[in-house]
Amino acid sequence: MRKTINLKKGLNMRLEGQLTDTCPVADVKPEKIAIVPDDYPGFLPKPEVKEGETVIQGAPLMHDKNDPDVKLVSPICGTVESITRGARRKIERIVVKRSNSDSTPTAIDVPKSPTGEDVRKALKVSGLWAMMRRRPYDILPMDSDRPRDIFVTGMDTAPLSIDLYRTVAGKEAEMAKGVEALKSLTKGSVYISVAQGSNMPDIKGAEIVEFNNLHPAGNAGVQIANIAPVNKGDVVWCLDIVTLVKIGELMLTGRVDFTVTVAVTGSEVEHPKIVTTLPGAPLAQLLENDVKEDGRHHRIISGNVLTGTNEGIEGYLRYPYRQVTVIPEGDDTDEFMGWASLSPNKMSESRSFLGRFLGKKFNPDARLNGGRRAMIMSGVYDRYIPMDIEPEYLLKAIIARDIDRMEALGIYEVAPEDFALAEYADPSKLELQRIVREGLDYMRKEA
């Protein structure tokens, strides 16, 4: 019997530019792709290619210095166009330009009845290992990990997001094979979280848990906290259902399907659409002729408005490769009374604003609407984080670098994305996700 969990804390943001049941579906073959190691926390990159070198699909571009078996691979056949480095020669991205070569993609030898070690090896060399995360620390799984449980999220509740199950519907055989592979890596359970009312059937070996569709129910950390919380000494892994299907395909065929399905959304998109493409595709290709020509400055985000990266039109599709959002930048807006305006077009959950009661969709811009200030202990964070933690005190402990308090207040359970909604509602205008990321990195280094 399926377990059902109804969250009461959270918020679904009403934004213009969402997908519809009749939205167009496009297939975009990128001219080039970019792989950014910063998208994979805990991965210390060392390049395996040089500029001008020819690579085939599935060939490694980088490996992890801590575990050389863990690779980031090329999703296309082509030529390494550039290896961009930043301060202290840090690798910022590797760009591969597509070629017309018909080179056979890299195949991985997977036994018919793989052991846990066979699965680990296959995931590492295929690049799929890097698409999973562990708690604590929200980083790539470590080779020494023996996870207590593994959590698969089959829903995305972020603003304007795509229906994750819709992108993998009909691939139940691959899901079952993926679950079988994951079961060989844990003595515990494999949980798959889906939205209430989902058509997803039962999968052998997995426990299906239904959540109501209230953001942040789609966050892995929220699902873990409400199913089987992480305590000190526990290690769990998490991934999304798209990666689960890719793992199943790898186990069945020895190859990885690198195709990704992306939602192109936002109030500044002329026609919101679904795009089938490859990881790291140029945003200019995905948005070609689809950004409104309304004279406004645009913020082009790889991801959703809460956790995405401001890439600009020259940027690339960043992991987790699900969404592109375009909204007004707001730096060219001249608004009467500024942030204090009582216009019904202003989006706010505060009862001080008329828009709170109209039930309409909004097209907010990227302005901060106020300066950063000291943390206001108002309890506002708690309304948007459906986890058994005290977020304000945890953040204070992180800022103070108080390890004992951080442990006691739940640092092992959280990831930066769990604080994204609270960051949106924060009257103090603090960068909560950055604070949490720095706290997790500090804990990993010190503890």
Side-chain angles (χ1 to χ4, degrees), residues 346-360:
K346 182 174 287 294
M347 186 179 76
S348 176
E349 286 302 303
S350 170
R351 295 177 181 176
S352 302
F353 292 86
L354 184 60
R356 168 73 169 78
F357 306 98
L358 297 181
K360 61 181 288 188

Side-chain angles (χ1 to χ4, degrees), residues 2-288:
R2 297 190 179 194
K3 182 179 180 180
T4 300
I5 296 175
N6 288 303
L7 302 181
K8 296 182 179 179
K9 296 180 180 179
L11 174 68
N12 288 331
M13 298 170 65
R14 304 187 302 273
L15 303 182
E16 293 182 1
Q18 68 181 14
L19 298 173
T20 64
D21 292 337
T22 58
C23 66
V25 179
D27 184 15
V28 175
K29 294 184 177 180
E31 299 171 354
K32 62 178 71 173
I33 60 91
I35 301 300
V36 180
D38 277 354
D39 290 341
Y40 307 92
F43 185 92
L44 294 178
K46 185 175 180 62
E48 293 197 12
V49 294
K50 297 179 180 179
E51 290 184 358
E53 187 173 330
T54 300
V55 296
I56 62 174
Q57 187 182 62
L61 300 176
M62 295 171 266
H63 68 253
D64 183 8
K65 292 180 182 178
N66 292 328
D67 186 353
D69 291 335
V70 177
K71 315 286 188 180
L72 294 181
V73 303
S74 174
I76 60 173
C77 297
T79 303
V80 179
E81 182 177 83
S82 64
I83 300 176
T84 303
R85 294 180 181 267
R88 303 177 68 179
R89 294 189 54 76
K90 173 186 174 182
I91 297 177
E92 294 185 341
R93 65 175 178 265
I94 293 182
V95 178
V96 180
K97 186 175 182 180
R98 176 189 290 275
S99 68
N100 295 321
S101 170
D102 293 327
S103 301
T104 304
T106 300
I108 297 169
D109 184 21
V110 181
K112 289 186 177 180
S113 300
T115 64
E117 287 306 310
D118 293 330
V119 172
R120 282 174 176 265
K121 180 179 178 181
L123 294 180
K124 288 180 178 181
V125 300
S126 67
L128 295 177
W129 185 273
M131 296 186 183
M132 300 190 293
R133 296 290 179 269
R134 78 180 317 255
R135 299 287 194 280
Y137 309 132
D138 187 42
I139 58 174
L140 270 62
M142 298 179 180
D143 185 61
S144 59
D145 285 349
R146 297 298 180 267
R148 185 202 69 196
D149 299 303
I150 298 177
F151 295 82
V152 180
T153 178
M155 56 190 297
D156 189 349
T157 54
L160 306 178
S161 59
I162 194 169
D163 180 351
L164 274 189
Y165 179 68
R166 175 181 175 182
T167 67
V168 296
K171 296 187 175 182
E172 285 74 22
E174 289 84 350
M175 292 181 203
K177 192 65 177 179
V179 169
E180 180 184 319
L182 294 179
K183 289 286 285 186
S184 70
L185 302 177
T186 176
K187 293 182 179 179
S189 300
V190 175
Y191 297 96
I192 301 179
S193 300
V194 297
Q196 286 182 12
S198 170
N199 294 324
M200 181 169 171
D202 292 337
I203 303 295
K204 182 180 178 181
E207 296 185 35
I208 309 296
V209 182
E210 294 188 347
F211 282 82
N212 58 323
N213 204 32
L214 178 66
H215 188 61
N219 288 3
V222 171
Q223 295 168 6
I224 294 168
N226 286 275
I227 297 172
V230 178
N231 298 309
K232 185 176 181 180
D234 290 342
V235 173
V236 301
W237 290 358
C238 52
L239 61 152
D240 64 27
I241 199 167
V242 177
T243 304
L244 176 68
V245 167
K246 292 182 185 298
I247 291 173
E249 291 172 338
L250 173 65
M251 296 297 113
L252 291 169
T253 67
R255 301 186 188 278
V256 177
D257 178 8
F258 290 99
T259 305
V260 294
T261 303
V262 180
V264 178
T265 60
S267 60
E268 293 300 295
V269 172
E270 196 75 52
H271 303 289
K273 61 184 178 182
I274 295 173
V275 174
T276 302
T277 187
L278 291 172
L283 298 184
Q285 271 192 269
L286 302 185
L287 293 168
E288 188 174 9

Side-chain angles (χ1 to χ4, degrees), residues 327-403:
I327 61 173
E329 183 67 53
D331 59 352
D332 54 348
T333 300
D334 185 12
E335 184 179 31
F336 176 67
M337 294 181 66
W339 63 267
S341 170
L342 299 178
S343 168
N345 294 321
K346 182 174 287 294
M347 186 179 76
S348 176
E349 286 302 303
S350 170
R351 295 177 181 176
S352 302
F353 292 86
L354 184 60
R356 168 73 169 78
F357 306 98
L358 297 181
K360 61 181 288 188
K361 293 179 180 178
F362 298 91
N363 59 340
D365 54 42
R367 286 176 296 166
L368 196 60
N369 283 334
R372 293 182 176 87
R373 56 198 76 115
M375 184 184 293
I376 301 170
M377 301 294 284
S378 61
V380 68
Y381 302 160
D382 191 56
R383 288 184 237 161
Y384 302 103
I385 303 179
M387 304 169 72
D388 188 19
I389 61 173
E390 297 184 44
E392 291 173 342
Y393 294 98
L394 174 57
L395 288 164
K396 281 181 171 288
I398 292 173
I399 294 169
R401 297 295 188 261
D402 186 334
I403 291 178

Side-chain angles (χ1 to χ4, degrees), residues 318-333:
R318 302 279 294 273
Y319 181 81
Y321 314 126
R322 292 181 197 161
Q323 188 173 353
V324 177
T325 311
V326 186
I327 61 173
E329 183 67 53
D331 59 352
D332 54 348
T333 300

